Amino acid sequence: MRDFLTRLPKAELHLHIEGSLEPELMFVLAERNGVALPYGSVEEARAAYDFQDLQSFLDLYYRGMSVLRTAEDFHDLAMDYFRRAHAEGVVHVEMHFDPQAHRVRGIELPVVMEGLSLARRHAERELGLSSALIMAFLRDREAAEAMAVLEEAAPYWEMLDAVGLDSAERGHPPSKFTEVFMRAAQLGIPRVAHAGEEGPPAYIREALDRLDVCRIDHGVRCLEDPALVARLRDEGMVLTVCPLSNVRLKVVERIEDHPLPQLLEAGLRVTLNSDDPAYFGGGVLDNYLACQRAFGWDEATFIQLAGTAIEAAFIGDARRTELRHRLAASY
Ligand code: ADE
Ligand code: ZN
């Protein structure tokens, strides 16, 4: 099964590139940039990755990214992840990035864009790996700041495959960002949002009704609202689910308790993703393997999941056709 799951051409639709920063690279970049880390060693860093909830993770996530200072750092971060993903049979990566988390540290958007763009070109050329870019807004900061970032990104609008909404969910409903997302819509930029990870099903409804999103990131709490489940199914809405993340952030207690089987049973379009692989114990393949072990799914289920990711990806017709063929040839 491991060989089969590795071979399967997997598209990853939910990854925070800053959450792919492994402790090894964190130490290299800290040294390069003269940044002090709160950990004495790689092992100490990993041992600290023991989270109670989303906020306790976010605290370490924002601290960890303080080592990212130059375009070269962002390039190295993304290439490091792309190489690992490629080795696991990932063929396409859609990465969220958090411009506001860098801006507050004095790292401006052009630095981030230059580094990530260069890495994307390298990955395409060296690994045949395609990618997409999702500029995420931090929902626990003011909407006006998100709007300013969107306007500031004018030179890069063409390069954005979508805008997203992430960070601390509770108390920060999607409706707070209605204006920002309507501006993105006016600009022709697609929209996605984290909703129903820690927040209630009502936030999923708001993301649909107010932000006009084409995908919901996480969305696992939709099961608490049967009418919402019916709506998601009828609209063919895609959920980018991250099972290992949900375990590590205690959205569920154990992987065996994860609602993925119910989501599939309900006829929802589901994909498997890593979220923040450096912090949550593995990449896309590890998420596939964890589900195989927990739920005993057969090959057909994984082919369906991988197929949904290809159908829901921000890619052009030619690449989608190519990935469909690669999927069909892989089993
Ligand atoms: N930022 C990085 N990872 C996140 C997650 N799992 N939820 C919300 N915001 C995030
Ligand atoms: Zn996420």
Side-chain angles (χ1 to χ4, degrees):
M1 201 63 171
R2 175 182 265 275
D3 285 349
F4 163 76
L5 292 176
T6 305
R7 237 179 16 249
L8 213 56
K10 296 172 288 299
E12 173 160 47
L13 307 186
H14 183 164
L15 165 83
H16 303 266
I17 196 64
E18 298 93 341
S20 77
L21 176 60
E22 294 289 343
E24 286 81 0
L25 183 60
M26 193 189 289
F27 274 84
V28 169
L29 298 182
E31 173 83 28
R32 191 196 274 177
N33 294 321
V35 175
L37 285 176
Y39 319 109
S41 66
V42 162
E43 293 71 32
E44 216 179 285
R46 287 223 163 79
Y49 295 171
D50 181 20
F51 311 114
Q52 309 319 308
D53 55 13
L54 177 55
Q55 187 60 58
S56 65
F57 154 69
L58 290 170
D59 293 343
L60 294 201
Y61 167 79
Y62 292 124
R63 195 183 306 169
M65 67 175 78
S66 67
V67 300
L68 300 165
R69 302 208 59 88
T70 66
E72 187 188 7
D73 299 339
F74 284 92
H75 166 271
D76 294 354
L77 167 74
M79 267 322 282
D80 198 49
Y81 181 68
F82 290 154
R83 288 206 178 88
R84 277 195 303 280
H86 175 69
E88 296 177 6
V90 174
V91 293
H92 176 74
V93 172
E94 312 212 325
M95 51 176 168
H96 280 70
F97 69 106
D98 288 328
Q100 288 158 280
H102 307 306
R103 196 187 197 219
V104 296
R105 308 183 287 110
I107 313 300
E108 299 296 336
L109 188 60
V111 172
V112 182
M113 294 302 293
E114 184 191 331
L116 295 182
S117 304
L118 190 60
R120 293 179 65 196
R121 287 198 294 275
H122 278 169
E124 186 93 52
R125 205 170 53 229
E126 286 175 25
L127 310 171
L129 183 112
S130 54
S131 61
L133 204 49
I134 302 173
M135 187 171 82
F137 302 115
L138 302 186
R139 67 199 308 155
D140 47 356
R141 298 182 67 87
E142 292 302 314
E145 185 180 290
M147 188 67 101
V149 168
L150 179 56
E151 295 302 341
E152 195 187 307
Y156 309 106
W157 285 339
E158 287 286 321
M159 295 166 57
L160 298 179
D161 295 280
V163 293
L165 189 63
D166 64 6
S167 201
E169 187 180 9
R170 284 203 195 104
H172 301 285
S175 54
K176 179 176 162 187
F177 295 91
T178 302
E179 254 187 81
V180 182
F181 274 60
M182 288 308 98
R183 173 69 175 137
Q186 185 188 47
L187 295 169
I189 303 174
R191 294 148 315 278
V192 300
H194 285 52
E197 178 187 18
E198 279 193 347
Y203 284 15
I204 300 174
R205 287 183 183 278
E206 276 192 17
L208 299 172
D209 292 333
R210 309 287 290 271
L211 307 188
D212 192 24
V213 296
C214 61
R215 302 196 306 234
I216 295 284
D217 294 315
H218 294 292
V220 290
R221 288 192 56 192
C222 70
L223 287 166
E224 296 167 30
D225 181 343
L228 174 60
V229 172
R231 175 177 176 187
L232 292 168
R233 183 189 52 233
D234 293 348
E235 293 183 5
M237 186 58 53
V238 167
L239 306 185
T240 65
V241 178
C242 309
L244 288 178
S245 163
N246 294 153
V247 174
R248 292 296 286 269
L249 299 187
K250 300 194 164 47
V251 170
V252 295
E253 203 172 310
R254 308 172 314 149
I255 185 94
E256 290 80 6
D257 304 324
H258 198 282
L260 265 162
Q262 290 97 295
L263 295 171
L264 284 175
E265 187 62 29
L268 299 185
R269 300 178 71 201
V270 168
T271 66
L272 296 184
N273 309 272
S274 74
D275 209 5
D276 299 283
Y279 292 90
F280 300 151
V284 179
L285 180 59
D286 291 304
N287 276 273
Y288 274 65
L289 286 165
C291 288
Q292 204 283 322
R293 277 192 294 270
F295 310 125
W297 286 340
D298 58 8
E299 294 190 356
T301 303
F302 288 104
I303 292 164
Q304 179 190 331
L305 291 161
T308 301
I310 290 170
E311 296 310 316
F314 295 121
I315 47 181
D317 291 345
R319 179 67 171 158
R320 201 180 319 278
T321 302
E322 181 193 341
L323 293 184
R324 282 177 186 146
H325 285 135
R326 282 178 65 174
L327 178 61
S330 72
Y331 55 89

